[in-house]
Amino acid sequence: MATLTVESQPPIVRWPYVGLSLLAIGVMIAAIISHDRWFLNFVHVICGVMWTGIDLFMGFIVGPILKRIDITARREVIVRLVPKTLFLMPTLAIITGTSGWYLAKQLGYLDLAWPDFGWVAAALTLVTLMTIQGTGYLLPTNLLVCLELRKPNPDTEKIGRMMRSFFFAVACQGTMQVLTIVIMARFVSGI
C-alpha cells in the first residue's frame, strides 16, 4: 500500500456514496409508503444489523487497534476509512430509527399501556441518544481527526485532545447498541 501524500488523497466527500445514501433513504420511504410489513421490517432489521455490527466492530476491534499503532499507520487507515463511513453511518442510523418508528406504529406498539410501553420508550430513547451521539459527536470528531491527519504535518496533540473522550463515547455507543439488541429480542419474543 502506497503512502498517501496530501496531493494523492481521495476527496472526503465521495459523490457515489451520497447517491447510495439517497437511494437507501428512497428504499426506506418506499417501504413506509407501501405499508408492507415484511418490506418495512426487512429495511429496519438489515439497517439495524449493519449499524450495530459496524459500530461494535469499529468501537471494540478497530478503535483499540488504531489507538495502539503508530501515527503513520493510523493516518493511512483513517484517511481511507472516514470517507467511506461519512454517509454510511448517519444513513443507517436515520433509516433504522425512522423505519423502526413506523414499524412500531404498524404493529401497535405505540398504543401499548404501561409497563409494556416501557420497552418501546426504552428503544426510542436509545435510538435517539445513539443517533444524536453518532451524528452530533462521533461523526464530527472522526471528520475533524481525518481532516487534521490529511495535513502534511498533523498536530498530534490536537488529535490527542479530540480523541480523549472519543473512546469513552464509542464504548457508550456500543453499550447502547447491545441494550437495543436486548430490547429488540424482547419485541420479537412478545411483550
Side-chain angles (χ1 to χ4, degrees):
M1 174 168 39
T3 302
L4 288 177
T5 63
V6 175
E7 298 80 28
S8 70
Q9 293 176 11
I12 295 222
V13 174
R14 309 233 180 119
W15 294 109
Y17 296 159
V18 174
L20 289 171
S21 292
L22 292 173
L23 176 65
I25 289 171
V27 169
M28 176 200 65
I29 291 168
I32 292 167
I33 291 171
S34 75
H35 299 288
D36 182 331
R37 187 177 293 169
W38 178 90
F39 186 22
L40 185 58
N41 188 56
F42 175 78
V43 168
H44 175 67
V45 170
I46 195 70
C47 288
V49 165
M50 289 174 60
W51 182 25
T52 301
I54 293 168
D55 257 359
L56 293 176
F57 180 75
M58 297 293 284
F60 294 108
I61 307 295
V62 176
I65 291 170
L66 287 177
K67 192 175 181 179
R68 289 174 178 79
I69 62 176
D70 73 287
I71 189 70
T72 306
R74 190 178 321 155
R75 180 182 191 178
E76 295 291 324
V77 172
I78 291 173
V79 298
R80 286 178 172 83
L81 185 63
V82 169
K84 292 185 185 291
T85 60
L86 186 60
F87 292 98
L88 174 65
M89 299 310 288
T91 301
L92 291 174
I94 289 165
I95 292 173
T96 301
T98 304
S99 61
W101 171 266
Y102 281 95
L103 187 61
K105 188 175 177 181
Q106 260 190 28
L107 295 171
Y109 288 154
L110 301 180
D111 301 322
L112 292 174
W114 283 96
D116 292 337
F117 186 76
W119 290 96
V120 178
L124 292 171
T125 300
L126 286 171
V127 78
T128 301
L129 289 174
M130 287 185 294
T131 302
I132 290 169
Q133 183 185 46
T135 58
Y137 176 70
L138 296 174
L139 180 69
T141 302
N142 270 329
L143 185 57
L144 290 171
V145 168
C146 181
L147 290 170
E148 187 63 34
L149 288 172
R150 290 169 64 98
K151 294 178 180 177
N153 296 308
D155 183 346
T156 55
E157 286 183 32
K158 181 178 179 181
I159 293 169
R161 283 191 306 274
M162 286 190 275
M163 297 306 285
R164 281 196 189 100
S165 59
F166 183 81
F167 292 107
F168 176 74
V170 168
C172 287
Q173 186 88 347
T175 302
M176 288 188 285
Q177 291 282 12
V178 171
L179 288 172
T180 302
I181 292 169
V182 170
I183 293 168
M184 292 302 114
R186 177 70 179 179
F187 284 161
V188 169
S189 64
I191 294 180

